[in-house]
């Protein structure tokens, strides 16, 4: 069965790759649930184009006005042997002409959220859309409560305009709207322009006639989509957009924000796109939409950030500040990751898959006999009667006493995790019930978009049914549920929310994460007679707001150096998109991991917020070699000794929207070199980790300004580029000068950690004193310790 599965998986990956080539070479227009490129709609000669021209009216006191949008079309143009098109002015032929405007005048509004955040909304229709903020799952409840309570209208922003310009200024910068030509400009507190929108007159000095800030009305159906266009400055760098596996700096790239299953972290697709980015120039943007977005960050025109949005309105949250400020502000809007239980930060042991009670308990016993610190055992796709056929019940043939097994696991210090997914094949026992009760996503005729039934999690009845199934498992003693898949919500589907897949496809992972996380939280607290235990899930897909429902892992990595690099980039990028916690499959997923790669992947895995061994067997170290078992144990013991540091840093991250796997420039925004590094990261605020991405025991590292102490050897390094030898644990692990790092004796699981035996270790070269953070189980606040 296992060989058959991996043959099928390899075939699937090969097929996906072949399909991608067919799409390019044979002219296939679209393959189901592959990323959508929204930019193509903005080069369609059948569409009508409306370009933001000027402010028609504006009430400075209310920060509300109207914009005149001039009507254009794209006109074919030949230049010798080059064919192209230019935007040219258009006089409408609409009938009756008295009923329509050639150049519509439509609403623009500014709302001031905080001294660092302003919300810009622009409509493409005179009909005011329904305000769905109160039910929008992307928004944090705290943000909505603050909005409802009536925060100060100016939030620290004061009008400072002139006759030709409308401006509002706070202590951190300003936003200006030029009346003609229409232009939105962001400035820092010193008046420097950070970015500004483009107008058609900006084309006068170039042969490239770029579409400026605009929207389209499609010839196919009169639907509208928007295209905000801003400038990109020389030397500008842009980060974020979710768990992106391509280069961290998105300038020069076209990024499709469309939830997909990319089949691994080695391509430009994303399990977890997030419509948020920020710039090294000191601003960030949250594109408040669930419709597909294609961000052309200087890919088609090096000086323009072109945001091709399928949505019919522009709704942008604009932030000012350094990376930490922007992440804090963004997660004030969409939510911060809640602090997770201590045990989640321990080792998770898994493979695809354990098929029986005996197999699971044998793994648990071998972990303990090999003295490998571990807290979680995960059963993947094989705990049902039929592999992959989710029916929420342990196989009666292979799990004779699941409740007894779960209790035995608990006595041994293990939590138990189970796999499931939200798709039901026709052979699934629940398929007919789901169809009969209308709990699936439907097509336009009320039938099935796919052969499988996809749970419609915008339907409260479906959510209740689903959560009751999960509750039955939690009541038996299960502690955490894997939230697999979620990337294939039907794009042509009709949902109980009243919306179609244009708006629900990308929202599906968020609804899925939320429904599962809340079920685990609710039923765990009922079972354990508590009220404070957060939910815990292990999710593959996500969207903006999913950080409120941790945690997530990096998908199905190849068992190669490329797979490790893709996971590393993805994890850093994910952290730059508002997510504090993240994990990945150590050694990769697809095939049995080569021992050299698995060894080098271990410290990267253990020095991530969460740590899991998972993938094609063998993942268990004792099945590989004794020396590998020793190496696995050493990396696990490293993390368990550091658990006070991990726990305190995690709490600090959850309070400020910061990632545990952290880009260097988050801590060192004034170091130009730190913005260039994408193969190293900070683990929390005080430790630097540089994985060995190729065979060998050394590598070149960039170290931010200051002194750095090798965690393993004690050697001191200066900032700048350094060739550094790895220690016994195969990674470069350095500590920032002036750090005070708490350690505890190794325990076999986090429940056995003796918190009375914390040892503080100073890492000091030039620093006059050392500082560290402390947060113990039961504490309510993070303490700063100094010595």
């Amino acid at each position: 069965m296992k060989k058959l599965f991996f043959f099928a998986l390899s075939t699937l990956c090969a097929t996906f790759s072949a399909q991608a080539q067919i799409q390019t070479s044979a002219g296939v227009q679209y393959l189901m649930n592959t990323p959508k490129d929204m930019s193509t709609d903005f080069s369609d000669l059948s569409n009508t184009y409306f370009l933001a021209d000027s402010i028609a009216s504006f009430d400075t006191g209310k920060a509300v006005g109207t914009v005149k949008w001039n009507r254009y079309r794209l006109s074919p143009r030949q230049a010798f042997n080059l064919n192209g098109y230019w935007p040219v002015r258009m006089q409408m032929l609409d009938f009756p002409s008295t009923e329509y405007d050639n150049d519509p005048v439509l609403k623009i509004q500014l709302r001031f959220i905080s001294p660092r955040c302003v919300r810009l909304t622009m409509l493409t229709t005179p009909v005011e859309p329904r305000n769905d903020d109160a039910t929008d799952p992307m928004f944090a409840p705290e943000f909505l409560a603050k909005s409802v309570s009536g925060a100060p209208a100016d939030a620290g922003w004061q009008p400072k305009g002139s006759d030709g310009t409308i401006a509002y200024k706070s202590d951190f910068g300003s936003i200006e709207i030029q009346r003609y030509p229409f232009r939105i400009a962001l400035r820092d507190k010193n008046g420097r322009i950070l970015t500004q929108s483009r107008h058609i007159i900006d084309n006068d000095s170039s042969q490239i006639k770029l579409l400026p800030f605009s929207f389209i009305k499609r010839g196919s159906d009169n639907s509208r989509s928007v295209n905000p266009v801003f400038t990109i400055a020389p030397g500008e760098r842009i980060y974020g957009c979710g768990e992106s596996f391509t280069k961290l700096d998105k300038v020069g790239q076209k990024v499709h924000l469309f939830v997909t299953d990319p089949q691994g972290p080695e391509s430009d697709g994303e399990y977890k796109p997030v419509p948020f980015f920020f710039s090294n120039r000191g601003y960030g943007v949250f594109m408040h939409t669930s419709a597909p977005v294609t961000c052309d960050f200087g890919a088609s025109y090096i000086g323009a950030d072109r945001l091709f949005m399928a949505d019919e309105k522009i709704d942008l949250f604009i932030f000012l500040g350094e990376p930490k400020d922007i992440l804090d502000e963004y997660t004030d809007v969409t939510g911060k990751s809640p602090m997770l239980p201590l045990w989640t930060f321990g080792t998770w042991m898994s493979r695809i898959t354990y098929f029986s009670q005996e197999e699971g308990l044998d793994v648990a016993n071998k972990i303990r006999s090999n003295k490998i610190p571990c807290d979680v055992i995960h059963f993947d796709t094989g705990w049902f009667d039929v592999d992959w056929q989710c029916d929420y019940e342990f196989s009666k043939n292979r799990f004779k006493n699941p409740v007894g097994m779960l209790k035995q696991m608990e006595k041994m210090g293990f939590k138990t995790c189970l796999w499931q997914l939200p798709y039901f094949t026709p052979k699934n026992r629940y398929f007919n019930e789901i169809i009969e009760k209308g709990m699936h996503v439907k097509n336009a005729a009320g039938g099935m978009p796919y052969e499988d039934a996809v749970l419609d999690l915008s339907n409260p009845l479906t959510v209740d049914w689903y959560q009751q199934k999960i509750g039955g498992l939690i009541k038996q003693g299960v502690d955490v549920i894997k939230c697999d898949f979620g990337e294939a919500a039907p794009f042509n589907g009709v949902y109980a929310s009243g919306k179609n897949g244009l708006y629900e496809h990308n929202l599906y992972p968020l609804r899925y994460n939320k429904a599962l996380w809340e079920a685990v939280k609710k039923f765990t607290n009922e079972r354990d007679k508590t009220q404070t235990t957060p939910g815990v899930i292990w999710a593959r897909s996500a969207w903006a707001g999913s950080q409120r429902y941790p945690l997530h892992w990096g998908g199905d990595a190849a068992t190669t150096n490329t797979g490790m690099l893709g996971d590393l980039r993805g994890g850093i990028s994910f952290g730059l998109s508002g997510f504090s916690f993240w994990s990945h499959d150590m050694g990769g997923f697809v095939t049995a991991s080569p021992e050299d790669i698995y060894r080098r992947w271990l410290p990267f895995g253990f020095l991530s917020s969460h740590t899991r061994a998972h993938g094609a067997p063998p993942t268990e170290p004792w099945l590989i070699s004794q020396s590998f078992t020793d190496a696995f144990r050493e990396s696990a013991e490293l993390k368990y000794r550091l658990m006070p540091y991990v726990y305190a840093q995690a709490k600090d991250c959850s309070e400020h929207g910061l990632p545990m796997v952290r880009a260097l420039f988050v801590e060192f925004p004034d170091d130009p070199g730190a913005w260039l590094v994408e193969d190293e990261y900070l683990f929390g605020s005080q430790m630097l980790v540089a994985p060995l991405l190729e065979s060998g025991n050394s590598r070149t590292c960039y170290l931010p300004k200051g002194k750095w102490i090798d965690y393993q050897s004690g050697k001191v390094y200066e900032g700048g580029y350094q060739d550094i030898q790895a220690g016994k644990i195969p990674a470069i692990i350095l500590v920032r000068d002036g750090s005070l790092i708490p350690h505890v004796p190794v325990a076999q699981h986090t429940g056995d950690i003796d918190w009375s035996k914390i040892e503080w270790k100073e890492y000091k070269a030039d620093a006059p004193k050392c500082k560290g953070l402390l947060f113990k189980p039961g504490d309510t606040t993070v303490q700063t310790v100094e010595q």
Side-chain angles (χ1 to χ4, degrees), residues 178 183-186 193-198 229-232:
Q178 190 171 297
R183 200 181 301 281
I184 299 167
L186 298 180
I193 291 179
L194 305 177
T195 188
Q196 58 186 341
S197 60
R198 284 184 59 98
V229 180
F230 294 92
T231 56
I232 292 178

Side-chain angles (χ1 to χ4, degrees), residues 2-281:
K2 298 174 189 175
K3 291 182 179 178
L4 179 62
F5 164 73
F6 285 105
F7 173 77
L9 184 65
S10 300
T11 304
L12 174 64
C13 294
T15 302
F16 187 86
S17 176
Q19 286 173 337
Q21 294 173 16
I22 290 170
Q23 183 176 6
T24 303
S25 60
V28 175
Q29 289 192 351
Y30 184 69
L31 293 173
M32 185 171 67
N33 288 323
T34 54
K36 285 190 172 290
D37 185 349
M38 297 312 303
S39 67
T40 59
D41 287 5
F42 291 81
S43 57
D44 188 332
L45 274 62
S46 72
N47 293 340
T48 303
Y49 293 77
F50 294 90
L51 281 50
D53 180 67
S54 57
I55 290 290
S57 65
F58 202 88
D59 184 328
T60 306
K62 295 180 179 178
V64 176
T66 55
V67 173
K68 180 189 174 195
W69 299 81
N70 284 352
R71 184 180 296 241
Y72 277 73
R73 63 184 174 86
L74 295 185
S75 178
R77 175 181 183 266
Q78 178 181 324
F80 288 103
N81 297 315
L82 173 68
N83 285 339
Y85 47 82
W86 280 9
V88 298
R89 207 59 170 93
M90 177 183 179
Q91 182 61 43
M92 73 177 188
L93 299 175
D94 297 3
F95 178 83
S97 60
T98 55
E99 301 303 309
Y100 304 101
D101 294 323
N102 192 74
D103 302 323
V105 173
L106 302 167
K107 183 177 179 179
I108 180 172
Q109 181 178 17
L110 297 177
R111 281 168 282 181
F112 304 101
I113 309 302
S114 78
R116 292 187 184 273
C117 177
V118 60
R119 184 178 185 180
L120 167 69
T121 305
M122 299 177 71
L123 305 185
T124 62
T125 169
V127 178
E128 189 85 27
R130 183 180 63 189
N131 187 343
D132 289 333
D133 281 4
T135 58
D136 190 324
M138 286 183 276
F139 287 137
E142 298 82 2
F143 169 73
L144 292 175
K146 183 179 177 182
S147 300
V148 170
S149 67
D154 60 14
W157 294 77
Q158 300 298 326
K160 299 286 184 182
S162 61
D163 289 344
T165 304
I166 302 150
Y168 296 87
K169 188 174 183 179
S170 79
D171 291 340
F172 303 103
S174 63
I175 182 168
E176 297 177 357
I177 303 176
Q178 190 171 297
R179 293 181 183 273
Y180 179 82
F182 174 82
R183 200 181 301 281
I184 299 167
L186 298 180
R187 295 180 183 270
D188 67 14
K189 63 182 180 181
N190 298 316
R192 181 182 69 140
I193 291 179
L194 305 177
T195 188
Q196 58 186 341
S197 60
R198 284 184 59 98
H199 188 275
I200 188 68
I201 66 171
D202 296 331
N203 287 339
D204 291 351
S205 58
S206 173
Q207 291 192 121
I208 301 174
K209 306 305 179 184
L210 191 70
L211 273 174
F213 205 98
S214 59
F215 72 89
I216 58 171
K217 184 175 74 171
R218 290 179 178 80
S220 59
D221 59 5
N222 277 12
S223 63
R224 298 169 304 281
S225 290
V226 297
N227 179 209
V229 180
F230 294 92
T231 56
I232 292 178
E236 184 164 3
R237 306 176 73 84
I238 290 174
Y239 299 85
C241 292
E243 188 193 50
S244 173
F245 308 118
T246 58
K247 289 182 71 66
L248 292 181
D249 175 17
K250 301 307 174 195
V251 173
Q253 299 183 48
K254 183 184 279 189
V255 182
H256 303 300
L257 302 179
F258 184 86
V259 176
T260 191
D261 176 359
Q263 301 285 291
E266 302 87 32
S267 78
D268 62 352
E270 293 190 53
Y271 301 104
K272 310 173 190 67
V274 178
F276 164 79
F277 64 88
F278 64 90
S279 164
N280 64 338
R281 291 177 65 81

Side-chain angles (χ1 to χ4, degrees), residues 435 440-450 493-494:
I435 302 302
H440 62 299
V441 179
K442 301 169 182 64
N443 62 16
M448 299 273 293
Y450 301 159
V494 178

Side-chain angles (χ1 to χ4, degrees), residues 238-464:
I238 290 174
Y239 299 85
C241 292
E243 188 193 50
S244 173
F245 308 118
T246 58
K247 289 182 71 66
L248 292 181
D249 175 17
K250 301 307 174 195
V251 173
Q253 299 183 48
K254 183 184 279 189
V255 182
H256 303 300
L257 302 179
F258 184 86
V259 176
T260 191
D261 176 359
Q263 301 285 291
E266 302 87 32
S267 78
D268 62 352
E270 293 190 53
Y271 301 104
K272 310 173 190 67
V274 178
F276 164 79
F277 64 88
F278 64 90
S279 164
N280 64 338
R281 291 177 65 81
Y283 70 92
V285 177
F286 167 43
M287 298 166 281
H288 175 226
T289 183
S290 59
V293 179
T294 292
C295 298
D296 184 331
F297 294 118
S300 59
Y301 185 82
I302 62 173
D305 169 9
R306 310 171 71 189
L307 307 176
F308 298 101
M309 305 171 69
D311 209 325
E312 66 179 13
K313 74 174 180 180
I314 295 169
D315 194 15
L316 306 179
F317 287 76
I318 300 167
F319 310 100
L320 296 172
E322 293 185 341
K324 281 187 175 181
D325 303 317
I326 292 171
L327 288 170
D328 194 26
E329 291 285 332
Y330 166 66
T331 53
D332 277 348
V333 174
T334 59
K336 290 178 164 58
S337 300
M339 182 59 176
L340 289 171
L342 176 64
W343 58 264
T344 68
F345 298 95
T347 309
W348 297 49
M349 181 58 68
S350 175
R351 66 156 63 180
I352 183 159
T353 176
Y354 303 133
F355 282 101
S356 69
Q357 178 172 324
E358 289 72 21
E359 192 174 11
L361 288 172
D362 180 64
V363 169
N365 284 313
K366 283 190 167 61
I367 288 170
R368 293 291 179 246
S369 65
N370 280 282
K371 302 217 175 288
I372 295 171
C374 184
D375 274 79
V376 183
I377 301 291
H378 170 67
F379 291 85
D380 213 62
T381 64
W383 59 280
F384 321 107
D385 258 337
V386 179
D387 193 15
W388 290 87
Q389 195 174 109
C390 174
D391 62 4
Y392 307 107
E393 290 192 9
F394 285 95
S395 168
K396 291 180 172 58
N397 296 321
R398 291 177 277 109
F399 292 83
K400 301 296 186 184
N401 183 8
V403 172
M405 177 195 74
L406 294 169
K407 287 181 178 178
Q408 193 170 345
M409 290 282 195
E410 185 179 15
K411 287 180 181 177
M412 297 173 70
F414 291 107
K415 304 292 184 179
T416 303
C417 178
L418 298 180
W419 177 94
Q420 54 83 67
L421 82 171
Y423 314 145
F424 293 79
T425 63
K427 293 183 179 180
N428 190 290
R429 59 182 289 199
Y430 289 116
F431 181 83
N432 290 331
E433 179 184 352
I434 291 167
I435 302 302
E436 289 167 5
K437 292 181 177 178
M439 296 188 294
H440 62 299
V441 179
K442 301 169 182 64
N443 62 16
M448 299 273 293
Y450 301 159
E451 296 92 338
D452 298 346
V454 177
L455 289 180
D456 183 354
L457 295 171
S458 74
N459 184 344
L461 294 176
T462 308
V463 172
D464 182 67

